[in-house]
């Protein structure tokens, strides 16, 4: 026979609502009584019904995740880490992959997520109208991209500072003609390319190096884009002796282009990436490491904490640590390539 919550209540001499609060960790039940109820439920083999719990608590036990490019390494890593935290807490994930302007417009126009989730983890940066639409859901909101914004719990890194450490390393090695491969064209509203570019410009200015716009190329945050951008830089009359790529995937594309042009790394051209992609150590890439999975875990944890204590209010933005990792793709400039 199926054991019901009423059976647990009769075994412990309390009401069914008290059993429900005790098993869900809600306040209003003494610790001694909670222990008794948990023990009785285990002895009787009682398992809480997901649908009953949802009706009683007004929850769906589902977290919505909105992502621009689920197939890309950064977003996939954040999503995987967050999903594990949600799953361990008994929540399912409802994923919306908004990889095209059409899909994005359709989502924010219809907002199919309404009344279907208890919270939302957004891995894209909404414009003001989109942010207002998400806030209208009246559920906890969190993100791992971009800076602070009203109504969102933000977990991220210092993109500008990370870029500064990468470019400063190249300057300290003696490079003066430093190129940058960015992802300025996409994804829509993403502030990361802007912040990392500003770090690049700041270090050049501090070092007294005049900025040359020709040394910037758009790599679209993909390996193929990075290869294409590096090829563009190499076609310049005075190509760079070093390159800062705003992501490791673009840096790997740059390495492929350099190899195809029979140029040695770092003897002919130095390359620095950003992220510490899982393959970065394999190719010996000097890079700025960010804790990608940890950002997903922390964002998930903050959402669950907000659900457990709605009156606590959203926490301040969380900045995760970054670090510079020196590997084999950087060296002082080759005198023969200095102009």
């Amino acid at each position: 026979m199926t054991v019901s919550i009423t059976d647990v209540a009769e075994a412990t001499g309390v009401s069914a609502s008290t059993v429900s609060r005790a098993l869900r960790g809600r306040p209003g039940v003494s610790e001694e009584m909670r222990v008794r109820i948990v023990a009785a439920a285990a002895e009787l083999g009682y398992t809480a019904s997901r649908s009953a719990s949802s009706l009683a608590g007004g929850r769906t036990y589902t977290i919505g995740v909105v992502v621009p490019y689920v197939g890309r390494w950064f977003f996939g890593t954040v999503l995987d880490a967050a999903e594990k935290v949600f799953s361990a807490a008994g929540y399912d994930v409802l994923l919306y992959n908004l990889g095209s302007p059409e899909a994005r417009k359709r989502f924010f126009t219809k907002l199919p997520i309404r009344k279907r989730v208890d919270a939302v983890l957004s891995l894209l940066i909404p414009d003001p109208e989109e942010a207002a639409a998400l806030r209208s859901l009246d559920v906890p909101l969190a993100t791992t991209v971009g800076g602070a914004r009203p109504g969102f719990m933000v977990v991220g890194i210092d993109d500008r500072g990370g870029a500064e450490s990468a470019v400063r390393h190249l300057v300290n090695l003696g490079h003066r003609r430093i190129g940058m491969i960015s992802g300025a064209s996409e994804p829509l509203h993403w502030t990361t390319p802007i912040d990392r570019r500003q770090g690049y410009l700041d270090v050049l200015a501090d070092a007294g190096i005049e900025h040359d716009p020709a040394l910037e190329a758009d790599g679209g945050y993909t390996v193929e884009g990075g290869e294409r951008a590096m090829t563009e830089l190499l076609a310049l009359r005075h190509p760079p002796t070093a390159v800062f790529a705003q992501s490791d995937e673009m840096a790997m594309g740059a390495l492929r282009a350099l190899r195809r042009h029979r140029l040695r790394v770092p003897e002919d051209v130095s390359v620095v990436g950003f992220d510490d992609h899982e393959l970065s150590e394999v190719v010996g890439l000097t890079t700025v490491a960010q804790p990608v999975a940890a950002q997903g875990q922390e964002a998930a944890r903050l959402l669950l904490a907000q659900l457990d204590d709605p009156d606590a209010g959203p926490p301040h933005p969380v900045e995760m640590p970054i670090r510079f990792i020196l590997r084999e793709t950087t060296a002082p400039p080759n005198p023969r390539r200095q102009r």
Side-chain angles (χ1 to χ4, degrees), residues 112-232:
I113 208 167
R114 189 181 297 278
K115 295 184 179 181
R116 299 181 66 185
V117 300
D118 297 324
V120 174
L121 173 59
S122 175
L123 304 187
L124 55 77
I125 295 182
D127 64 22
E129 290 185 1
E130 293 169 345
L134 290 177
R135 287 193 295 268
S136 75
L137 297 173
D138 196 26
V139 299
L141 305 172
T143 184
T144 61
V145 290
R149 68 186 63 85
F152 287 78
M153 294 175 281
V154 179
V155 179
I157 62 167
D158 182 1
D159 284 296
R160 185 170 175 175
E164 288 176 354
S165 67
V167 181
R168 189 175 296 112
H169 169 67
L170 296 173
V171 169
N172 290 340
L173 286 174
H175 292 279
R176 304 289 293 178
R177 193 157 179 80
I178 302 171
M180 181 179 67
I181 299 177
S182 68
S185 65
E186 58 181 346
L188 190 63
H189 309 305
W190 202 11
T191 59
T192 297
I194 299 172
D195 294 337
R196 294 183 186 179
R197 180 176 185 269
Q198 190 58 55
Y200 164 78
L201 295 176
D202 289 345
V203 174
L204 293 184
D206 289 344
I209 301 173
E210 184 178 354
H211 171 238
D212 183 353
L215 290 176
E216 295 187 44
D218 182 3
Y221 279 89
T222 66
V223 174
E224 294 75 15
E227 181 176 10
R228 182 178 60 253
M230 187 73 245
T231 301
E232 292 176 11

Side-chain angles (χ1 to χ4, degrees), residues 50 59-66 77-95 117-123 140-144 153 155 293 295-308:
R50 170 65 64 86
R59 292 191 185 183
T60 66
Y61 285 90
T62 301
I63 306 295
V65 179
V66 183
T77 302
V78 171
L79 174 60
D80 180 66
E83 192 278 333
K84 289 177 180 176
V85 174
F86 293 140
S87 179
Y91 285 79
D92 295 323
V93 167
L94 183 59
L95 177 65
V117 300
D118 297 324
V120 174
L121 173 59
S122 175
L123 304 187
L141 305 172
T143 184
T144 61
M153 294 175 281
V155 179
Q295 292 176 69
Q297 294 167 350
E298 180 66 7
R301 187 192 67 79
L302 290 176
L303 281 177
L304 294 177
Q306 185 75 15
L307 287 171
D308 287 340

